[in-house]
Structures are given as C-alpha cells and as structure tokens.
C-alpha cells in the first residue's frame, strides 16, 4: 500500500517507450549511423530532446522522424552549447 502523498513510478515505461513505434529499428539505425559519421552527434542530441519533450507532454508513443534534420541540428547544437557552458568551469580548473 502506498503511503499518503507518494507517487508510483512506472520505470518500465521509460525503457519500453520506443518499442511502441513500428519503425523504431530504422530510426535507431539512422541515429547510430549519424553518431558514427562525419555529421556527428548534433542531430542525434536534437532527436533525443524531441523524444524527451514528447514524453513530458504526454504525446503519442512514436519516435520522431528524421525528415527535418535541420531543426534537429539546431536543437542539438543549442543543447551542446548549454552543456559545454555548464561544463566549462570543470574543464578550466
């Protein structure tokens, strides 16, 4: 029995989210190829943030397509710059 004010978390839902998309293998393959190519991890970071936003907003369990790679690049670059700024004090010390 849960105590008053407690929250029940479904940890399995976070790990099984991507399996609800029928073409998840193709989308993950594209992400893997982009990560290990000259294009880099920028669009993959944007893609990951798009997935996170969809989960937080309670949208349908479908992974984003790779059709708008320019927007994914832009989002991924912003994330990378914010992370680098946050990490800068540790890098300089």
């Amino acid at each position: 029995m849960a105590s008053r004010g407690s929250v029940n978390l479904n940890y399995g839902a976070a790990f099984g989210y991507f399996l609800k998309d029928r073409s998840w293998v193709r989308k993950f393959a594209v992400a893997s190829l982009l990560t290990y190519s000259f294009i880099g991890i920028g669009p993959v970071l944007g893609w990951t943030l798009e997935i996170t936003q969809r989960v937080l907003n309670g949208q349908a369990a479908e992974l984003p397509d790779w059709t708008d790679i320019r927007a994914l690049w832009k989002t991924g670059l912003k994330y990378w710059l914010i992370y680098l700024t946050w990490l800068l004090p540790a890098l300089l010390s």
Side-chain angles (χ1 to χ4, degrees):
M1 181 192 305
S3 65
R4 187 174 161 178
S6 68
V7 176
N8 292 328
L9 297 176
N10 184 358
Y11 293 104
F15 295 105
Y17 175 82
F18 66 93
L19 296 174
K20 294 178 183 177
D21 190 350
R22 289 180 180 232
S23 59
W24 71 270
V25 174
R26 180 183 53 84
K27 292 175 182 179
F28 269 90
V30 170
S32 298
L33 290 174
L34 286 174
T35 300
Y36 293 110
S37 70
F38 67 93
I39 295 174
I41 195 150
V44 178
L45 287 173
W47 185 68
T48 305
L49 287 172
E50 178 69 26
I51 293 169
T52 305
Q53 288 174 351
R54 287 182 180 192
V55 170
L56 288 173
N57 293 333
Q59 294 178 350
E62 184 175 317
L63 297 174
D65 287 324
W66 288 98
T67 53
D68 193 9
I69 199 162
R70 186 173 293 205
L72 295 175
W73 254 110
K74 188 187 252 185
T75 305
L77 184 62
K78 284 181 192 177
Y79 174 75
W80 185 76
L81 289 174
I82 290 169
Y83 181 71
L84 185 64
T85 303
W86 179 77
L87 193 59
L88 199 59
L91 293 174
L92 294 176
S93 63

